[in-house]
Amino acid sequence: AQSVAQPEDQVNVAEGNPLTVKCTYSVSGNPYLFWYVQYPNRGLQFLLKYITGDNLVKGSYGFEAEFNKSQTSFHLKKPSALVSDSALYFCAVRDGGAGNMLTFGGGTRLMVKP
Amino acid sequence: EAGVAQSPRYKIIEKRQSVAFWCNPISGHATLYWYQQILGQGPKLLIQFQNNGVVDDSQLPKDRFSAERLKGVDSTLKIQPAKLEDSAVYLCASSLPLLAAGNQFFGPGTRLTVL
């Protein structure tokens, strides 16, 4: 069975500072990894994904994520946080050999303060 | 390009009543998903369709939940009878056919409150 862990319920960061939202995963095969963001009263929006290739993946709104196979992690990062980045962030994984079933983590609330 | 449409956006019912949600996926997306997102948790897949066929419904509580996608486009999710623990946001998503790397595009969700 595949699973995702987001160890922090909330991350607080000051505007302009770098941010990291952590994610670790477990799959039996090759992992396909995703980050989604959820703003209040809106559906999830795709940020970025890792399928294969370069371990550093760049996505929307200046976000990036680093795939680390030995640590089974896929942490989300941004060099300089904006207040508008405040939202709920979800990491998701699926086994590359299975159907397109995504397993989501519990989410991390990012709070960026001015 | 129009996104995934869902209705209603909000629904309040009493326990033991029935409720239905509707989803219209992005045009050309053969794969459709229904997720349940309980407050404070990540979305959990309930059912996945490929065209009008069910691919995965292993986490659908079939004693009370049902879903259909008769013509391979729109889909409805029904709960009958509802329980208090069904209070959640029900998200619909769609993607291109069963691509391993394909993104799923989510609708705004239907927030269900069961009293």
Side-chain angles (χ1 to χ4, degrees):
Chain A
Q2 55 195 41
S3 65
V4 177
Q6 293 182 242
E8 303 154 316
D9 289 337
Q10 183 162 316
V11 169
N12 297 310
V13 65
E15 188 175 30
N17 283 0
L19 68 88
T20 298
V21 182
K22 296 179 180 178
C23 171
T24 58
Y25 66 90
S26 174
V27 293
S28 56
N30 292 322
Y32 291 175
L33 294 154
F34 301 78
W35 275 102
Y36 285 84
V37 59
Q38 188 174 37
Y39 297 100
N41 299 316
R42 297 178 66 177
L44 279 74
Q45 297 178 34
F46 169 79
L47 274 181
L48 50 80
K49 65 182 176 184
Y50 171 83
I51 305 301
T52 187
D54 194 347
N55 289 344
L56 185 63
V57 177
K58 294 187 183 297
S60 306
Y61 312 120
F63 283 92
E64 58 189 28
E66 186 168 11
F67 172 64
N68 187 315
K69 187 173 183 178
S70 62
Q71 297 185 4
T72 62
S73 67
F74 189 56
H75 300 332
L76 181 70
K77 300 180 180 183
K78 187 174 183 180
S80 178
L82 299 173
V83 172
S84 57
D85 293 330
S86 298
L88 197 53
Y89 290 81
F90 291 95
C91 181
V93 68
R94 66 161 293 254
D95 188 324
N100 203 20
M101 178 181 172
L102 277 182
T103 297
F104 285 85
T108 298
R109 184 167 300 282
L110 174 66
M111 298 290 292
V112 182
K113 298 182 179 179
Chain B
E1 178 182 90
V4 177
Q6 290 188 248
S7 68
R9 292 294 310 276
Y10 305 92
K11 189 73 176 179
I12 301 174
I13 62 173
E14 295 186 351
K15 60 183 179 183
R16 290 187 289 274
Q17 286 187 322
S18 301
V19 65
F21 313 127
W22 173 83
C23 172
N24 181 247
I26 292 173
S27 177
H29 282 192
T31 311
L32 184 146
Y33 316 79
W34 282 102
Y35 288 87
Q36 180 192 58
Q37 185 178 15
I38 293 172
L39 186 64
Q41 299 181 18
K44 183 186 82 171
L45 181 70
L46 292 175
I47 189 167
Q48 176 182 333
F49 291 94
Q50 173 73 3
N51 295 312
N52 60 352
V54 175
V55 175
D56 187 333
D57 64 356
S58 57
Q59 299 190 94
L60 187 73
K62 298 180 186 62
D63 58 334
R64 298 183 300 105
F65 286 65
S66 64
E68 60 184 14
R69 195 184 183 199
L70 294 177
K71 297 183 179 179
V73 180
D74 293 6
S75 176
T76 56
L77 175 70
K78 297 179 181 178
I79 307 175
Q80 182 180 11
K83 293 185 175 181
L84 296 177
E85 58 260 37
D86 298 333
S87 294
V89 176
Y90 291 85
L91 296 167
C92 179
S94 69
S95 71
L96 292 171
L98 283 179
L99 290 178
N103 306 344
Q104 294 185 18
F105 295 83
F106 286 80
T110 296
R111 183 177 298 277
L112 173 67
T113 301
V114 182
L115 303 176

